[in-house]
Amino acid sequence: MNESLGDLLHRSVEAVPKPHLDVGELVGRAERRQRQRRLVLVACTTVLVAAIVVGSLAFRGGQPRQLQPAPAPSPSVVHPPQRVARPLVYAAGRTVHVGEDTFEAGKNVLFVDATDDGVVFVTEDSDRWWYSDTLWFNDGSTTQAIGRVATEHIGLFDVYTANPGSLVVWAEGKRTNASPDQFVVYDTSRHKVMDRLPFTGLYNTVLHVDERHIFFNPDSGAPGCWMIDIHYCRDPYLLRYDVASGETRKIPQATFKGELRPVPRMLMLAEARGDTGTVFTARAMARFNQVGRLLVPVDSNGDPTVFRRPTGEPLALRVPAGYTSPGDEMSVVQWIDDDRLVLFPNEGGGDLPAQVGDLLVCKLPDGLCRVAVRASSTPYVAPG
């Protein structure tokens, strides 16, 4: 199962004015806070996950398509896709753990995440960390290199996975240049690149990936009113790329929220001032503080807040009797299925992606968490 959050982005751009963020801002700040020990960036837009998407215009054959407004939804019956339960995945050094199984990556693992078909992971193999590293896919029997991920800062990788689903999206990097020039869309069920989307600039940000779509924000230079923008706008838009048709459409923020509402493997952040909510998937790293046995949700400032499931019910989690979190906060790092999420209460560890801590699995709606993996002397790399 996060999620890459720039609110974004993976570079310090002090000359750029602070963007107005609506839903995207809340999402980005949450993810940014989770990664701030590892990043020195103005905004971590990918990690944010409430939303927003990659690429200003989708293209094939190097020719951009013209954007068309999305049509009004039809009342046709939609059958929900079959949802696949995923094993708990994490890495320790060069060893990738997939449920009860393991395999060797050959090099230190810097990033790991799951799809319905296996595990994607990034290995530390660049000559210089700020260039790029290899992205691999393991389907349980074989491992193949599928691309290179831009590595602009230690611990930050623009890799997004659908949960549930088979799509993986990443910012393609080069061995000699940290700046990506495209986002690659890959289907792990087909072992195939489905498309390449142009990377157009600072606010060109992936917000969310599902089984069929990529939602993203164009660069700030694109004319219009966008979810992530330099200037405030009341009714922002974003872009939705359809993998099957190859079309990119401009949709309002309200439509985006509506499409996310039926997705069970995410949490909504309910702001005290009554905002409609911010979406958190695994990459968004919704965070909690332990108070006794209860886990209290906290916002990007570390203040208590409320997380709700898409159905509207508030989330209430509690740890096993006698358990004490090793760190100040614990984060959601993976969804195993619709009713089980994974927490990583880590002890910190500086700028490295590997952290020392336990992995807890929490069952919903009961909310009771159990320790699934105990911390070891070898730090873990958790999903997202």
Side-chain angles (χ1 to χ4, degrees):
M1 8 211 181
N2 273 142
E3 105 113 304
S4 338
L5 264 208
D7 199 330
L8 308 93
L9 300 172
H10 319 144
R11 288 171 287 168
S12 290
V13 183
E14 299 176 353
V16 177
K18 182 178 180 181
H20 162 72
L21 301 180
D22 184 25
V23 172
E25 177 187 36
L26 297 175
V27 177
R29 285 190 303 180
E31 191 164 345
R32 227 169 28 237
R33 181 178 178 83
Q34 189 274 341
R35 291 174 182 246
Q36 68 185 0
R37 297 183 183 91
R38 300 179 260 163
L39 308 176
V40 184
L41 300 175
V42 171
C44 229
T45 284
T46 59
V47 250
L48 48 211
V49 145
I52 320 176
V53 206
V54 29
S56 170
L57 297 173
F59 72 95
R60 284 181 181 160
Q63 298 301 318
R65 297 190 190 87
Q66 185 172 0
L67 296 178
Q68 311 242 349
S74 63
S76 58
V77 177
V78 177
H79 299 283
Q82 181 180 2
R83 303 192 184 279
V84 177
R86 295 179 172 178
L88 172 60
V89 300
Y90 64 98
R94 300 185 174 193
T95 303
V96 179
H97 295 253
V98 186
E100 299 298 322
D101 300 323
T102 63
F103 66 87
E104 295 301 313
K107 299 178 181 179
N108 285 336
V109 176
L110 303 178
F111 171 92
V112 64
D113 208 343
T115 75
D116 285 356
D117 316 291
V119 177
V120 291
F121 61 98
V122 174
T123 54
E124 185 180 18
D125 56 358
S126 60
D127 294 332
R128 306 176 73 181
W129 62 262
W130 55 85
Y131 287 167
S132 65
D133 294 287
T134 302
L135 177 66
W136 306 81
F137 172 61
N138 179 284
D139 63 4
S141 58
T142 60
T143 299
Q144 65 179 121
I146 59 175
R148 296 190 67 83
V149 179
T151 311
E152 297 180 80
H153 193 281
I154 271 185
L156 178 63
F157 302 95
D158 274 349
V159 183
Y160 310 83
T161 59
N163 188 2
S166 300
L167 292 183
V168 181
V169 180
W170 67 87
E172 185 79 358
K174 301 176 181 178
R175 287 186 178 274
T176 58
N177 189 342
S179 299
D181 59 4
Q182 63 182 343
F183 286 94
V184 180
V185 182
Y186 187 89
D187 189 323
T188 56
S189 67
R190 301 182 183 185
H191 294 252
K192 177 182 177 181
V193 172
M194 304 303 295
D195 212 338
R196 300 175 186 273
L197 311 175
F199 182 90
T200 57
L202 180 62
Y203 297 112
N204 188 184
T205 307
V206 174
L207 302 170
H208 183 66
V209 180
D210 65 20
E211 298 98 323
R212 299 174 297 276
H213 305 101
I214 300 164
F215 300 86
F216 61 97
N217 198 84
D219 185 60
S220 58
C225 170
W226 304 102
M227 287 182 63
I228 302 178
D229 211 332
I230 293 177
H231 305 290
Y232 172 81
C233 52
R234 293 188 57 183
D235 300 306
Y237 284 78
L238 67 150
L239 301 175
R240 181 184 63 200
Y241 169 72
D242 184 280
V243 176
S245 67
E247 294 181 345
T248 298
R249 291 185 180 273
K250 179 180 176 182
I251 64 172
Q253 177 177 282
T255 299
F256 175 55
K257 291 180 179 179
E259 295 198 18
L260 292 173
R261 199 165 289 124
V263 180
R265 301 179 188 183
M266 63 174 58
L267 302 175
M268 303 292 291
L269 172 63
E271 287 282 31
R273 65 177 183 269
D275 284 359
T276 52
T278 297
V279 177
F280 287 83
T281 65
R283 286 189 61 86
M285 302 301 178
R287 293 168 295 106
F288 302 82
N289 284 336
Q290 181 179 349
V291 179
R293 289 189 61 189
L294 299 180
L295 297 180
V296 178
V298 293
D299 62 18
S300 59
N301 295 318
D303 298 322
T305 185
V306 176
F307 292 149
R308 298 183 183 276
R309 302 197 71 185
T311 55
E313 57 190 321
L315 185 73
L317 302 178
R318 65 189 190 279
V319 297
Y323 181 82
T324 300
S325 172
D328 293 335
E329 296 177 350
M330 58 182 74
S331 305
V332 176
V333 295
Q334 184 185 358
W335 285 84
I336 291 178
D337 54 33
D338 292 359
D339 297 309
R340 285 182 297 167
L341 56 82
V342 181
L343 296 177
F344 186 32
N346 68 77
E347 299 178 4
D351 284 339
L352 295 177
Q355 307 287 323
V356 174
D358 306 318
L359 288 164
L360 280 63
V361 174
C362 305
K363 184 76 169 67
L364 307 178
D366 174 79
L368 180 61
C369 304
R370 64 177 179 85
V371 179
V373 179
R374 290 286 184 183
S376 73
S377 58
T378 301
Y380 296 141
V381 174

